[in-house]
Amino acid sequence: MIKTYEERDLEVKMGFIFSKSMNENLKTQQEFMVMNSRLQLERQLLMQNQMRERQMAMQIAWTREFLKYFGAFFGLTAVGLTAGAIKKKKPGLFIPIVPLSFILAYNYDMGYGSLLQRMKGEAENIIDTECAVLEMPKGPLTFEGLEKARRAQSKFFIEK
């Protein structure tokens, strides 16, 4: 069947309209995918930050709990060593109190003091001024490097 000029022109116009509609749908879909990717990334970053905060809170809580027990131990030890030093007239019995007091002071600073803020400040300083010491040996991880290691360890890998 031979088509007339009008029929061919109508098919071209319909094809153009259909193509234009598909391009608009494709563009809308691509915008949705970009927005969805961004939303997923934001959620991952938020989740990682919340996990980090929870881990830090657990570490601080552990330090505070440890401080209670160590403080009691330090107090009893200090009283006992002081009594022994006075009773036996041996001032050398005071020596263990010195390192124990450093441990007590460190844990108090970690649990209730400003040690974490000072550590954060120092970490920021290292990131800003000494970034070379933060570089990973052999550079950053890559997909190719991970695949190579996975293949070397895998017993089931079949080369295609």
Side-chain angles (χ1 to χ4, degrees):
M1 175 172 144
I2 299 175
K3 295 181 182 179
T4 65
Y5 179 74
E6 288 83 23
E7 289 174 331
R8 279 190 250 148
D9 191 38
L10 181 62
E11 284 180 357
V12 169
K13 286 181 183 178
M14 286 178 63
F16 176 74
I17 292 170
F18 182 69
S19 175
K20 184 177 178 184
S21 174
M22 282 195 55
N23 284 341
E24 288 174 2
N25 285 342
L26 182 62
K27 185 177 179 184
T28 305
Q29 189 176 13
Q30 285 174 337
E31 289 172 357
F32 174 76
M33 289 172 61
V34 167
M35 184 183 68
N36 197 28
S37 303
R38 181 182 173 126
L39 183 62
Q40 185 178 9
L41 179 60
E42 287 175 359
R43 285 181 178 150
Q44 284 178 337
L45 291 172
L46 183 62
M47 182 185 68
Q48 287 175 351
N49 192 46
Q50 286 182 354
M51 290 299 294
R52 183 193 58 80
E53 287 174 352
R54 290 177 185 188
Q55 288 171 343
M56 289 297 296
M58 284 298 293
Q59 183 177 357
I60 293 168
W62 182 90
T63 301
R64 289 178 179 178
E65 193 64 26
F66 174 79
L67 188 60
K68 292 174 189 174
Y69 291 98
F70 189 77
F73 167 75
F74 178 79
L76 290 173
T77 303
V79 169
L81 290 174
T82 302
I86 292 171
K87 189 174 183 180
K88 294 187 178 186
K89 296 184 184 336
K90 289 185 179 179
L93 291 176
F94 284 119
I95 293 175
I97 293 176
V98 175
L100 293 175
S101 65
F102 279 104
I103 296 170
L104 182 69
Y106 173 81
N107 281 290
Y108 181 83
D109 196 18
M110 178 77 156
Y112 296 101
S114 61
L115 179 64
L116 291 176
Q117 286 81 18
R118 293 193 315 268
M119 288 171 59
K120 181 182 171 199
E122 184 62 24
E124 289 172 352
N125 182 44
I126 290 170
I127 290 170
D128 292 340
T129 61
E130 303 175 41
C131 58
V133 298
L134 302 175
E135 293 176 5
M136 303 238 346
K138 296 187 176 182
L141 296 174
T142 62
F143 177 77
E144 293 78 18
L146 291 173
E147 274 297 297
K148 183 179 177 183
R150 184 190 64 78
R151 287 180 187 147
Q153 292 179 357
S154 178
K155 297 176 183 173
F156 304 110
F157 179 71
I158 300 171
E159 192 70 40
K160 291 183 179 180

